[in-house]
Amino acid sequence: MSKLNFFSGPAVLPDSVMQQAADAIHNFDNTGLSILEISHRSKQFVKVMDEARALVKELMGLDANYEVLFLHGGALSQFHMVPMNLLNANETASYFDTGTWAHGALTEAKLFGNVHIACSSKDKNYTYIPREYNIATGNKYLHLTSNNTIYGTQINTPYLNQIIDTDTPIVCDMSSDIFSRQLNYNKFALIYAGAQKNAGAAGTTMVILNKDILGTAKRPIPKMLDYSRHIGADSMLNTPSVFAVYVSYLTLKWIKEQGVANLQAANQRKADKLYAAIDGSSLYKGTVEKDSRSQMNVCFLLNDETLNDKFNAYAEQHDVLGLKGHRSVGGFRASIYNAMPESGVDTLIEVMKEFERMA
Amino acid sequence: MSKLNFFSGPAVLPDSVMQQAADAIHNFDNTGLSILEISHRSKQFVKVMDEARALVKELMGLDANYEVLFLHGGALSQFHMVPMNLLNANETASYFDTGTWAHGALTEAKLFGNVHIACSSKDKNYTYIPREYNIATGNKYLHLTSNNTIYGTQINTPYLNQIIDTDTPIVCDMSSDIFSRQLNYNKFALIYAGAQKNAGAAGTTMVILNKDILGTAKRPIPKMLDYSRHIGADSMLNTPSVFAVYVSYLTLKWIKEQGVANLQAANQRKADKLYAAIDGSSLYKGTVEKDSRSQMNVCFLLNDETLNDKFNAYAEQHDVLGLKGHRSVGGFRASIYNAMPESGVDTLIEVMKEFERMA
């Protein structure tokens, strides 16, 4: 790929992952069959699923009582699966209201039990992560969205470490920053993430959970929505999204080769230099309060918005794609996930500076 | 692919589809980006989704009030979505109990309303399609499984035409025989099918429905489980399973090129000659009553079961893969979906005959 992909997700993948994925369409693991037509019960694919699950546990340093599932449905399906499995009708869960998806998650939870808003940044169009929050009495779990893709905010690592230092079970949507930094993942009761940003292609969603949180639901749960059933079937309750799981498996192997600590350092450097370029310019300005800035999604506006279309066209002419911001924020957003090399961010900064000089 | 793939699903795909899918991993629609990293909101992918939905309507000859969705979750998720959207707690739906999946569907429906068993072939391990059935008074819908993959039974076309000639809304799981034959699809209220047998790779599920059946549900429905929300979002309520939808799109174009009528004729010839070979042999025997035999999944046993492993090994040596039967039936099963060429069935028959001569 000669183009630079700054889309928010589906997003950039390592070249080696794409090459291996394409190869497997012709001949998967020397079976003589395509990954698209292989049985999910074949020993070759069962190995992929088992190794992918083990890699997630290894990369996160998880204890033995954690389970990893690759489910259908996208992170959005976890908005109902989480409360369906964890929250009875008379119980209360607390939610951080820090963006479109965080709000979507708490809206779905209201169908199942009581929802307490622990904090909200809706007052300023979700441009910050609130520093104060409170948890309901007898709280069942606290739901966080660690990175808000649309608004470019992220719970920074020191603050997140402070929040998870609690006895309340923590449920966290990490769709847009999973595997981007080291954390004590054993402090989380349940983590979920659509694969298509930092961990593969669209079509599968990781759910990582401590088995101890299950078993209290009093409602009947349909088979496919029941975490226990998926665990009992080793994440093969029905035909999984075979190819998407395979791409995640390849991506997880790539992450292991790179090392999460190294990726974290690179993500820090990439974000620091891009925000520095924005802050040092008179054309670009960030949209997010500094200590809430995301290392994954860098949102910015042009001081002269009449130049928006021109900037976008200029970037595309220079093979810099996917910069258009979400309609809720406007302006621009550069998504710089794990697989975006530092050289890609350097090119983006050059293109931004050249455009500013010309403008 | 030089190997012959008789797996029950994920299953054989046309070579041209696999080639195009692999090409799109390198460069999708001349975007310079991979199909794995392209935004689902890009105009190129929106076109794929729109055309795939339109192709389904065209291939089925559906009226304007039908909608086509490509959803996550596999056909198994439709087991709860159908009653959640269509069946209130005090209402009754009737179900054909003709196999593992048919039984699974009615088990899930019981979580939502009353279930009436219209007929069952459980008494003879699901080896036939019952010829008599009855529908509950005030029935909300009748649920059928048109082809039972595991047991190799199918509601044959004359009988199916007779069943659907009714005012009761028909809901049908066509996962393993969609696009394999011509029917008056406007007689169905809702059809669902996992893509990975006759219409693509694993990871997406088609739901085809007449909008008139919606709007009577009295329970709150989570966003991702609500057909109306998916229709309102043009089947893009969240990030779809992009690559799987693309493979279905390519497969639908291939089906259109072939023509459903031609595929139906070929399926008939393929099944007829394979059943004739089984019936004409003294080693092989079919497991299903003749008028219930599936044209998609041909189940058979060896009269001398001590030869099972030897037969399977012999077939694999001759590049004939995937013949092992489901554990509920034992023996063997050859799945001969649309994409299995007639020459592949000829080869299978030769291999079976050679083995019989040697045995």
Side-chain angles (χ1 to χ4, degrees):
Chain A
M1 300 295 124
S2 58
K3 311 258 185 179
L4 286 170
N5 178 355
F6 291 97
F7 279 105
S8 61
V12 59
L13 284 170
D15 285 345
S16 62
V17 166
M18 290 195 279
Q19 186 56 54
Q20 291 171 81
D23 291 347
I25 288 184
H26 293 298
N27 187 356
F28 166 60
D29 198 11
N30 292 317
T31 54
L33 295 178
S34 168
I35 182 76
L36 301 184
E37 57 169 6
I38 193 90
S39 170
H40 58 295
R41 304 284 179 201
S42 64
K43 65 177 187 296
Q44 293 87 351
F45 183 73
V46 169
K47 184 166 166 273
V48 165
M49 177 62 94
D50 289 348
E51 290 190 7
R53 297 173 76 205
L55 274 166
V56 171
K57 285 190 75 169
E58 182 186 342
L59 291 170
M60 291 189 156
L62 293 170
D63 294 343
N65 53 333
Y66 280 80
E67 290 281 351
V68 177
L69 304 171
F70 283 85
L71 302 185
H72 297 279
L76 224 154
S77 292
Q78 296 309 310
F79 293 1
H80 60 259
M81 281 182 71
V82 164
M84 193 178 264
N85 283 271
L86 303 184
L87 188 65
N88 286 310
N90 58 342
E91 294 173 335
T92 303
S94 300
Y95 277 71
F96 268 46
D97 175 24
T98 55
T100 303
W101 304 122
H103 198 80
L106 71 89
T107 303
E108 293 298 289
K110 286 178 183 171
L111 299 179
F112 300 93
N114 303 313
V115 169
H116 168 78
I117 311 279
C119 61
S120 175
S121 51
K122 202 174 180 179
D123 58 335
K124 291 187 183 171
N125 197 33
Y126 296 124
T127 51
Y128 69 104
I129 303 289
R131 287 301 158 147
E132 288 182 8
Y133 62 93
N134 61 78
I135 290 174
T137 318
N139 189 53
K140 197 74 188 286
Y141 62 82
L142 171 62
H143 183 282
L144 310 171
T145 308
S146 52
N147 186 80
N148 300 281
T149 322
I150 290 177
Y151 299 93
T153 65
Q154 188 175 25
I155 307 179
N156 68 41
T157 303
Y159 186 36
L160 184 53
N161 280 331
Q162 191 183 312
I163 295 169
I164 63 179
D165 185 19
T166 171
D167 291 334
T168 282
I170 302 285
V171 175
C172 189
D173 177 356
M174 289 195 188
S175 291
S176 48
D177 66 355
I178 195 164
F179 305 123
S180 72
R181 56 179 164 175
Q182 293 182 301
L183 290 167
N184 182 355
Y185 290 103
N186 290 299
K187 297 293 290 181
F188 294 84
L190 189 151
I191 293 165
Y192 61 91
Q196 68 270 17
K197 297 172 200 287
N198 261 319
T204 190
T205 297
M206 285 165 288
V207 176
I208 297 131
L209 54 84
N210 186 328
K211 280 185 285 189
D212 299 348
I213 59 164
L214 297 177
T216 68
K218 292 187 180 124
R219 62 176 63 81
I221 302 179
K223 187 173 174 180
M224 280 293 287
L225 302 176
D226 186 338
Y227 293 130
S228 303
R229 300 291 293 266
H230 286 285
I231 291 170
D234 292 330
S235 197
M236 290 260 219
L237 193 51
N238 72 341
T239 311
S241 197
V242 172
F243 185 74
V245 172
Y246 183 63
V247 176
S248 281
Y249 163 70
L250 297 173
T251 308
L252 290 162
K253 288 207 294 182
W254 178 86
I255 292 170
K256 186 180 170 181
E257 283 159 24
Q258 307 294 312
V260 174
N262 295 327
L263 289 169
Q264 178 174 4
N267 288 331
Q268 180 83 54
R269 286 196 306 275
K270 283 149 55 184
D272 283 352
K273 66 170 76 172
L274 185 49
Y275 284 117
I278 289 167
D279 292 340
S281 105
S282 52
L283 178 61
Y284 308 105
K285 65 175 174 199
T287 60
V288 167
E289 290 187 12
K290 288 194 178 177
D291 66 357
S292 302
R293 282 173 162 179
S294 167
Q295 295 194 341
M296 298 285 106
N297 312 97
V298 176
C299 292
F300 58 96
L301 304 174
L302 301 194
N303 278 316
D304 178 358
E305 293 197 356
T306 65
L307 295 174
N308 277 6
D309 289 349
K310 213 170 153 185
F311 173 68
N312 203 44
Y314 184 82
E316 289 189 357
Q317 280 158 26
H318 290 77
D319 289 341
V320 167
L321 304 185
L323 287 187
K324 208 172 163 201
H326 191 276
R327 61 186 180 280
S328 324
V329 179
F332 299 93
R333 171 178 53 180
S335 296
I336 51 174
Y337 300 117
N338 279 345
M340 173 56 66
E342 197 166 344
S343 62
V345 175
D346 292 337
T347 302
L348 169 61
I349 292 170
E350 269 174 53
V351 167
M352 289 171 71
K353 286 187 174 168
E354 276 168 31
F355 181 78
E356 186 172 2
R357 274 194 291 273
M358 283 173 33
Chain B
M1 301 293 124
S2 57
K3 311 257 185 179
L4 285 171
N5 179 356
F6 291 98
F7 280 105
S8 59
V12 59
L13 284 171
D15 285 344
S16 61
V17 167
M18 290 196 277
Q19 186 57 54
Q20 291 172 81
D23 292 346
I25 288 184
H26 293 298
N27 187 355
F28 166 60
D29 198 11
N30 292 317
T31 55
L33 295 178
S34 168
I35 182 77
L36 302 183
E37 55 171 6
I38 193 90
S39 170
H40 58 295
R41 304 285 179 199
S42 64
K43 64 177 187 295
Q44 292 87 350
F45 184 73
V46 169
K47 183 166 165 271
V48 166
M49 177 63 94
D50 289 347
E51 288 189 9
R53 298 171 76 205
L55 274 165
V56 172
K57 285 190 73 169
E58 182 185 342
L59 290 169
M60 291 189 155
L62 293 169
D63 294 343
N65 52 334
Y66 279 81
E67 290 281 350
V68 177
L69 303 171
F70 283 85
L71 302 184
H72 298 279
L76 225 155
S77 292
Q78 296 310 309
F79 293 1
H80 60 258
M81 280 182 73
V82 164
M84 193 177 264
N85 283 271
L86 302 184
L87 189 64
N88 286 310
N90 59 342
E91 294 173 334
T92 303
S94 300
Y95 277 71
F96 268 45
D97 175 24
T98 54
T100 303
W101 304 122
H103 197 80
L106 71 89
T107 303
E108 294 296 290
K110 286 178 182 169
L111 300 180
F112 299 93
N114 304 313
V115 168
H116 169 78
I117 310 277
C119 62
S120 176
S121 51
K122 203 174 181 178
D123 59 333
K124 292 188 182 171
N125 197 32
Y126 296 124
T127 51
Y128 68 105
I129 302 289
R131 288 302 156 145
E132 287 182 9
Y133 62 93
N134 62 77
I135 291 174
T137 318
N139 190 53
K140 198 72 188 288
Y141 61 83
L142 172 63
H143 183 281
L144 310 171
T145 309
S146 52
N147 186 80
N148 301 280
T149 322
I150 290 177
Y151 299 93
T153 65
Q154 186 174 28
I155 307 178
N156 68 41
T157 303
Y159 187 35
L160 185 52
N161 280 331
Q162 190 183 315
I163 296 169
I164 64 179
D165 185 19
T166 170
D167 291 334
T168 283
I170 303 285
V171 175
C172 188
D173 178 355
M174 289 195 187
S175 290
S176 49
D177 67 354
I178 195 164
F179 304 123
S180 73
R181 55 179 165 175
Q182 291 183 301
L183 291 168
N184 182 357
Y185 291 102
N186 290 299
K187 297 293 289 181
F188 294 84
L190 189 150
I191 293 165
Y192 61 91
Q196 68 268 18
K197 297 173 199 287
N198 261 320
T204 191
T205 296
M206 283 164 289
V207 176
I208 297 131
L209 54 83
N210 185 328
K211 280 184 287 187
D212 298 348
I213 59 165
L214 297 177
T216 68
K218 292 187 178 124
R219 63 176 61 83
I221 302 177
K223 187 174 173 178
M224 279 294 286
L225 302 175
D226 185 339
Y227 293 129
S228 302
R229 300 291 293 266
H230 286 285
I231 292 170
D234 292 331
S235 197
M236 290 261 219
L237 193 51
N238 73 342
T239 311
S241 199
V242 172
F243 185 73
V245 172
Y246 183 63
V247 176
S248 281
Y249 163 71
L250 296 173
T251 308
L252 290 163
K253 287 206 297 182
W254 178 86
I255 292 171
K256 186 180 169 182
E257 282 159 25
Q258 307 294 312
V260 174
N262 296 326
L263 289 169
Q264 177 173 6
N267 288 331
Q268 180 83 54
R269 285 195 305 273
K270 282 148 56 183
D272 283 353
K273 66 170 75 169
L274 184 49
Y275 284 117
I278 290 167
D279 292 341
S281 107
S282 52
L283 179 61
Y284 308 105
K285 66 174 172 197
T287 60
V288 167
E289 290 187 12
K290 288 194 178 177
D291 66 357
S292 302
R293 283 172 162 181
S294 168
Q295 295 194 340
M296 299 283 107
N297 312 98
V298 176
C299 291
F300 58 95
L301 304 173
L302 301 195
N303 278 317
D304 179 358
E305 293 197 356
T306 65
L307 294 174
N308 277 5
D309 289 348
K310 213 171 155 186
F311 173 68
N312 203 45
Y314 184 81
E316 289 188 358
Q317 281 158 25
H318 290 76
D319 289 341
V320 168
L321 304 184
L323 287 186
K324 209 172 162 199
H326 192 275
R327 63 187 177 279
S328 325
V329 180
F332 299 92
R333 172 180 51 180
S335 296
I336 51 173
Y337 300 117
N338 279 345
M340 173 56 67
E342 197 165 344
S343 62
V345 175
D346 292 337
T347 301
L348 168 62
I349 291 169
E350 270 173 52
V351 167
M352 289 171 70
K353 287 189 172 168
E354 276 169 33
F355 181 79
E356 186 171 1
R357 273 193 293 272
M358 284 171 37

